Amino acid sequence: MERRDYELIVIGGGISGVAMAHLACGSGMRTLLLEKQPRLGGCLHSHAAAGGFWVEMGAHSCFNSYGRLIDVLKRCGLQDRLIARRKMSFKLYAGGALRSIPSCLSFTELLTHLPRLLTARKQGQTVRGYYEAIVGPKNYARVLGPALNAVLSQPADRVPAELMFRKRSRRREFPSSFSLPGGLQALAEGIAAASGCDTLLGVTVGEIRRNTNGYVLSLADGRQLHCRFLCLATPAGAAASMLAGVHAALAGQLARVRHGMIESLAITLRRGDVRLGDIGGVIGQDEPFYSAVSRDVIENDAYRGFTFHFKPGLLDRERKLACIARVLGIDPARSIDIHETVNTLPCPGPEHLQWIGETTQPLDSLPLLLCGNYFAGIAIEDCMSRAHEEFARLDRLAGRL
Ligand SMILES: Cc1cc2nc3c(=O)[nH]c(=O)nc-3n(C[C@H](O)[C@H](O)[C@H](O)COP(=O)(O)OP(=O)(O)OC[C@H]3O[C@@H](n4cnc5c(N)ncnc54)[C@H](O)[C@@H]3O)c2cc1C
């Protein structure tokens, strides 16, 4: 049986795992990145639709407030490849029509509630508690609530307000919102390639055992891998399953993280087949979708693309296409590409901040690192921050600090 030794093995090739592999390789650690899909990126998933035109199935944008990410991109020599996303407004789809957001707001209610912004505190509040107080219940129900659900691609009401819109300083020398040619998946692929870590795609970890030197991983194809440190950078549920036989209490803790699914469908059409003017996207009010994000933000003369992020389990493909036809006023039969995927995102409730403390404290002395979007927040920069925190702990454990 083939046996290979690594100082660090990272399971999960989304941005969290790629960031950890980059940091470890940069510090000279012999590192292996394992991913079960045949591609890197996880929720950074760019689908090549037609003639060089791509659509995003998961995340759409990075921002110049993502300082940790920008530092990594600079170290990988990717900063010159960034392309700016044009600023374009979103519309609300409400009552069977596309409406501008201001036209759906009650300004009287807004004016009477907005002064509360001066004294409002996010600590201990849910998203709904905090934002409803600032914009008023009607404005929250009609506009801001659906907009925040669209930001998270999840019901946002019960999420701790502290996890939403963290204050971060902007790097003005970079575009305010950016992507890469080919889409955001190229970001994960570019970081991994520049880092030079060993990578295995399309592999499934069968069993994880612990021994005196670290961990032993048995892959489904019979290979055995040994490592001194192990990093799990998968959704919490997948990490829970993999750790059940080796760290049962921690696995139980990870299994408590609530997750939701998002069914995403992207449709690409020739420019002439869409009458609707260029648009940033659409937010659904009482609709089966959270948002429809447009590709118009990156200019293309030939094609237009729209990714609808649907609530799970409500519509089959035919009904999704009928919904898209209704919202965009297009004929799906004229599309040149349709692509579907399912994403998983954490959906934390008010108990989550306490959960983070309870989970991270016992980890302290274990040669096990946990990265992902179920700690400080789901934004790509939150994943980068968590990877940096865990890398600092790895440095301590490895006795290098
Ligand atoms: C629709 C949508 C829109 C979003 N928009 C934005 C946005 O515009 N800006 C932003 O900042 N953030 C956005 N996000 C959030 C952000 O994209 C994610 O939170 C982040 O990319 C998650 O990265 P991750 O590496 O932690 O997890 P993931 O991307 O989920 O990666 C985990 C990886 O682990 C792999 N894996 C799972 N189980 C195993 C296993 N047993 N063995 C090996 N590998 C395994 C998976 O295949 C996956 O590749 C969006 C997310 C979604 C879904």
Side-chain angles (χ1 to χ4, degrees), residues 366-380:
L366 282 182
L368 176 73
L369 315 167
L370 290 181
C371 290
N373 55 5
Y374 57 92
F375 287 94
I378 69 160
I380 290 165

Side-chain angles (χ1 to χ4, degrees), residues 34-40 199-205 220-221 223:
L34 288 181
E35 166 57 49
K36 75 169 180 184
Q37 297 291 332
R39 61 169 188 92
L40 289 176
T199 302
L200 284 179
L201 298 178
V203 290
T204 309
V205 178
D221 62 11
R223 273 179 286 182

Side-chain angles (χ1 to χ4, degrees), residues 17-69:
V18 164
M20 175 55 82
H22 162 79
L23 294 169
C25 283
S27 75
M29 279 188 138
R30 186 163 149 66
T31 303
L32 173 68
L33 179 60
L34 288 181
E35 166 57 49
K36 75 169 180 184
Q37 297 291 332
R39 61 169 188 92
L40 289 176
C43 292
L44 307 190
H45 181 183
S46 313
H47 167 66
F53 184 83
W54 78 90
V55 283
E56 298 290 6
M57 303 307 300
H60 297 268
S61 183
C62 294
F63 300 94
N64 65 3
S65 56
Y66 288 7
R68 296 262 197 208
L69 175 71

Side-chain angles (χ1 to χ4, degrees), residues 268-277 304-306 328-330:
T268 300
L269 299 114
R270 286 190 186 80
R271 189 155 266 283
D273 286 330
V274 189
R275 280 202 306 276
L276 178 70
R304 296 185 68 187
F306 302 89
L328 299 180
I330 52 116

Side-chain angles (χ1 to χ4, degrees), residues 10-18 34-37 39-44 56-63 66 85 150-154 168 184 200 203-205 233-235 238-239 242 262 264 291 293 307 309 342-346 371-374 377-383:
V10 181
I11 305 181
I15 192 65
S16 297
V18 164
L34 288 181
E35 166 57 49
K36 75 169 180 184
Q37 297 291 332
R39 61 169 188 92
L40 289 176
C43 292
L44 307 190
E56 298 290 6
M57 303 307 300
H60 297 268
S61 183
C62 294
F63 300 94
Y66 288 7
R85 287 164 42 97
V151 169
L152 293 183
S153 295
Q154 291 287 313
R168 301 181 173 111
L184 286 183
L200 284 179
V203 290
T204 309
V205 178
T234 65
M242 283 187 277
I262 306 108
S264 301
S291 65
V293 185
T307 307
H309 298 298
V342 177
N343 285 302
T344 304
L345 281 179
C371 290
N373 55 5
Y374 57 92
I378 69 160
I380 290 165
E381 182 65 3
D382 295 319
C383 298

Side-chain angles (χ1 to χ4, degrees), residues 120-141:
R121 294 282 169 273
K122 284 185 172 176
Q123 282 78 10
Q125 294 271 11
T126 60
V127 161
R128 181 174 181 168
Y130 178 78
Y131 289 100
E132 201 176 61
I134 292 170
V135 298
K138 275 191 211 134
N139 282 329
Y140 184 84

Side-chain angles (χ1 to χ4, degrees), residues 162-227:
E162 287 167 67
L163 298 186
M164 198 94 197
F165 303 130
R166 288 172 182 281
K167 276 203 184 113
R168 301 181 173 111
S169 53
R170 294 189 171 277
R171 301 271 190 92
R172 304 275 174 201
E173 67 276 29
F174 291 93
S176 131
S177 168
F178 62 83
S179 185
L180 267 83
L184 286 183
Q185 190 177 313
L187 191 144
E189 291 167 344
I191 296 172
S195 306
C197 57
D198 287 358
T199 302
L200 284 179
L201 298 178
V203 290
T204 309
V205 178
E207 191 197 19
I208 299 178
R209 281 182 292 117
R210 196 160 173 209
N211 66 15
T212 46
N213 300 320
Y215 293 91
V216 184
L217 275 59
S218 306
L219 303 188
D221 62 11
R223 273 179 286 182
Q224 251 193 17
L225 304 170
H226 293 235
C227 57

